[in-house]
Amino acid sequence: DAKTTQPNSMESNEEEPVHLPCNHSTISGTDYIHWYRQLPSQGPEYVIHGLTSNVNNRMASLAIAEDRKSSTLILHRATLRDAAVYYCIAKSGNAGNMLTFGGGTRLMVKP
Amino acid sequence: DTGVSQDPRHKITKRGQNVTFRCDPISEHNRLYWYRQTLGQGPEFLTYFQNEAQLEKSRLLSDRFSAERPKGSFSTLEIQRTEQGDSAMYLCASSMTGNGYTFGSGTRLTVV
């Protein structure tokens, strides 16, 4: 999997949008961009993934740069329950089926 | 579908003892993964099964660690002669080929 770089932490106010950035400059053409989040005392939870086009689901949106060297996870209205560590993973579509986690971004949501 | 279940949730053991953890994946998922997570770090891959075949093992998986998935359903992870450095959260995940991964809540191991 390609290396990803994320800020260690970010803060947001409740009910405001949050943009979580991720750099993956060495991503290959077949690597998917996955986002997982981990709430305290729980295992990671799938959020969203994409290859080239922007993606939306009920949890979040994923905006992928045209050159695919970066992406942004967008939470449209942060809630206190969104406070978690968010992991960006550039997963190889070829050999190796595991997810390779980095340090992630700890998101703090203020009421 | 009750998700991925792990048992026990917590385990405290004395150094040198053997421990075994169990993971029950989502029933239709053919892939099962074990990860280890220490405080403040992201999960680290240990090993992965497709059905009953163990297809990949990390170099983190020393000779004291062994994992099985005998009938392609549940899996066990055993650690022999535990050391204090084995203290961590052990996470299990399952997936259907090509889809997202579902993680369990983990087993927290403390070696004293």
Side-chain angles (χ1 to χ4, degrees), chain A residues 24 27 33 51-54 63-71:
Chain A
H24 29 77
I27 195 169
I33 300 154
L51 184 61
T52 55
S53 305
N54 294 344
I64 302 172
E66 198 169 331
D67 63 5
R68 295 199 349 111
K69 293 184 186 301
S70 66
S71 61

mmCIF file of all heavy atoms in Angstrom, chain A residues 24 27 33 51-54 63-71:
data_model
loop_
_atom_site.group_PDB
_atom_site.id
_atom_site.type_symbol
_atom_site.label_atom_id
_atom_site.label_comp_id
_atom_site.label_asym_id
_atom_site.label_seq_id
_atom_site.Cartn_x
_atom_site.Cartn_y
_atom_site.Cartn_z
ATOM 1 N N HIS A 24 -1.292 11.228 -0.453
ATOM 2 C CA HIS A 24 -0.801 9.907 -0.876
ATOM 3 C C HIS A 24 -0.127 10.067 -2.217
ATOM 4 O O HIS A 24 -0.611 9.574 -3.236
ATOM 5 C CB HIS A 24 -1.936 8.872 -0.917
ATOM 6 C CG HIS A 24 -3.286 9.429 -1.213
ATOM 7 N ND1 HIS A 24 -3.706 9.800 -2.473
ATOM 8 C CD2 HIS A 24 -4.327 9.696 -0.377
ATOM 9 C CE1 HIS A 24 -4.950 10.255 -2.409
ATOM 10 N NE2 HIS A 24 -5.351 10.202 -1.157
ATOM 11 N N ILE A 27 0.748 7.074 -4.671
ATOM 12 C CA ILE A 27 -0.339 6.152 -4.980
ATOM 13 C C ILE A 27 -0.212 5.656 -6.419
ATOM 14 O O ILE A 27 0.192 6.401 -7.317
ATOM 15 C CB ILE A 27 -1.705 6.837 -4.742
ATOM 16 C CG1 ILE A 27 -2.826 5.804 -4.691
ATOM 17 C CG2 ILE A 27 -1.974 7.903 -5.785
ATOM 18 C CD1 ILE A 27 -4.142 6.370 -4.192
ATOM 19 N N ILE A 33 -8.578 4.364 -2.379
ATOM 20 C CA ILE A 33 -8.455 5.187 -1.172
ATOM 21 C C ILE A 33 -9.589 4.805 -0.227
ATOM 22 O O ILE A 33 -10.767 4.940 -0.573
ATOM 23 C CB ILE A 33 -8.520 6.682 -1.528
ATOM 24 C CG1 ILE A 33 -7.370 7.036 -2.477
ATOM 25 C CG2 ILE A 33 -8.443 7.528 -0.244
ATOM 26 C CD1 ILE A 33 -7.661 8.219 -3.350
ATOM 27 N N LEU A 51 -11.918 5.297 -5.994
ATOM 28 C CA LEU A 51 -10.743 5.132 -6.857
ATOM 29 C C LEU A 51 -10.373 6.442 -7.535
ATOM 30 O O LEU A 51 -9.274 6.959 -7.356
ATOM 31 C CB LEU A 51 -11.012 4.054 -7.907
ATOM 32 C CG LEU A 51 -9.845 3.697 -8.825
ATOM 33 C CD1 LEU A 51 -8.663 3.151 -8.027
ATOM 34 C CD2 LEU A 51 -10.272 2.716 -9.904
ATOM 35 N N THR A 52 -11.301 6.990 -8.310
ATOM 36 C CA THR A 52 -11.006 8.231 -9.015
ATOM 37 C C THR A 52 -12.090 9.287 -8.814
ATOM 38 O O THR A 52 -11.795 10.443 -8.570
ATOM 39 C CB THR A 52 -10.855 7.973 -10.524
ATOM 40 O OG1 THR A 52 -12.031 7.332 -10.995
ATOM 41 C CG2 THR A 52 -9.650 7.107 -10.827
ATOM 42 N N SER A 53 -13.326 8.861 -8.891
ATOM 43 C CA SER A 53 -14.422 9.824 -8.797
ATOM 44 C C SER A 53 -14.766 10.107 -7.346
ATOM 45 O O SER A 53 -14.531 9.286 -6.465
ATOM 46 C CB SER A 53 -15.666 9.265 -9.486
ATOM 47 O OG SER A 53 -15.384 8.908 -10.807
ATOM 48 N N ASN A 54 -15.333 11.265 -7.110
ATOM 49 C CA ASN A 54 -15.829 11.581 -5.772
ATOM 50 C C ASN A 54 -16.955 10.627 -5.410
ATOM 51 O O ASN A 54 -17.694 10.146 -6.281
ATOM 52 C CB ASN A 54 -16.303 13.031 -5.718
ATOM 53 C CG ASN A 54 -15.160 14.010 -5.911
ATOM 54 O OD1 ASN A 54 -13.981 13.648 -5.797
ATOM 55 N ND2 ASN A 54 -15.486 15.251 -6.211
ATOM 56 N N ALA A 63 -13.668 13.319 -1.497
ATOM 57 C CA ALA A 63 -13.241 14.108 -2.653
ATOM 58 C C ALA A 63 -11.812 13.713 -2.992
ATOM 59 O O ALA A 63 -10.927 13.805 -2.140
ATOM 60 C CB ALA A 63 -13.322 15.605 -2.324
ATOM 61 N N ILE A 64 -11.613 13.260 -4.229
ATOM 62 C CA ILE A 64 -10.302 12.778 -4.669
ATOM 63 C C ILE A 64 -9.740 13.770 -5.680
ATOM 64 O O ILE A 64 -10.425 14.114 -6.654
ATOM 65 C CB ILE A 64 -10.419 11.376 -5.298
ATOM 66 C CG1 ILE A 64 -11.027 10.408 -4.282
ATOM 67 C CG2 ILE A 64 -9.060 10.888 -5.779
ATOM 68 C CD1 ILE A 64 -11.369 9.041 -4.852
ATOM 69 N N ALA A 65 -8.513 14.219 -5.450
ATOM 70 C CA ALA A 65 -7.889 15.168 -6.367
ATOM 71 C C ALA A 65 -7.726 14.540 -7.748
ATOM 72 O O ALA A 65 -7.627 13.318 -7.879
ATOM 73 C CB ALA A 65 -6.528 15.597 -5.824
ATOM 74 N N GLU A 66 -7.693 15.394 -8.741
ATOM 75 C CA GLU A 66 -7.622 14.893 -10.113
ATOM 76 C C GLU A 66 -6.369 14.053 -10.350
ATOM 77 O O GLU A 66 -6.412 13.053 -11.068
ATOM 78 C CB GLU A 66 -7.639 16.084 -11.087
ATOM 79 C CG GLU A 66 -8.007 15.697 -12.505
ATOM 80 C CD GLU A 66 -8.272 16.912 -13.371
ATOM 81 O OE1 GLU A 66 -8.712 17.958 -12.841
ATOM 82 O OE2 GLU A 66 -8.027 16.815 -14.587
ATOM 83 N N ASP A 67 -5.247 14.437 -9.734
ATOM 84 C CA ASP A 67 -4.010 13.664 -9.897
ATOM 85 C C ASP A 67 -3.923 12.503 -8.908
ATOM 86 O O ASP A 67 -2.938 11.768 -8.896
ATOM 87 C CB ASP A 67 -2.776 14.564 -9.763
ATOM 88 C CG ASP A 67 -2.651 15.197 -8.385
ATOM 89 O OD1 ASP A 67 -3.461 14.879 -7.496
ATOM 90 O OD2 ASP A 67 -1.755 16.024 -8.186
ATOM 91 N N ARG A 68 -4.928 12.375 -8.048
ATOM 92 C CA ARG A 68 -5.047 11.299 -7.049
ATOM 93 C C ARG A 68 -3.939 11.323 -6.008
ATOM 94 O O ARG A 68 -3.796 10.372 -5.240
ATOM 95 C CB ARG A 68 -5.093 9.925 -7.726
ATOM 96 C CG ARG A 68 -6.300 9.730 -8.579
ATOM 97 C CD ARG A 68 -6.693 8.314 -8.943
ATOM 98 N NE ARG A 68 -5.762 7.268 -8.655
ATOM 99 C CZ ARG A 68 -5.962 6.332 -7.725
ATOM 100 N NH1 ARG A 68 -7.033 6.347 -6.978
ATOM 101 N NH2 ARG A 68 -5.056 5.385 -7.544
ATOM 102 N N LYS A 69 -3.204 12.370 -5.894
ATOM 103 C CA LYS A 69 -2.137 12.428 -4.907
ATOM 104 C C LYS A 69 -2.650 12.893 -3.546
ATOM 105 O O LYS A 69 -1.898 12.912 -2.559
ATOM 106 C CB LYS A 69 -1.010 13.343 -5.387
ATOM 107 C CG LYS A 69 -0.265 12.795 -6.599
ATOM 108 C CD LYS A 69 0.896 13.686 -6.980
ATOM 109 C CE LYS A 69 1.565 13.232 -8.266
ATOM 110 N NZ LYS A 69 2.078 11.858 -8.198
ATOM 111 N N SER A 70 -3.887 13.276 -3.481
ATOM 112 C CA SER A 70 -4.473 13.661 -2.201
ATOM 113 C C SER A 70 -5.977 13.422 -2.246
ATOM 114 O O SER A 70 -6.561 13.284 -3.319
ATOM 115 C CB SER A 70 -4.192 15.129 -1.876
ATOM 116 O OG SER A 70 -4.850 15.961 -2.802
ATOM 117 N N SER A 71 -6.560 13.354 -1.060
ATOM 118 C CA SER A 71 -8.006 13.208 -0.965
ATOM 119 C C SER A 71 -8.470 13.889 0.314
ATOM 120 O O SER A 71 -7.665 14.198 1.205
ATOM 121 C CB SER A 71 -8.429 11.735 -0.985
ATOM 122 O OG SER A 71 -7.881 11.036 0.117
#
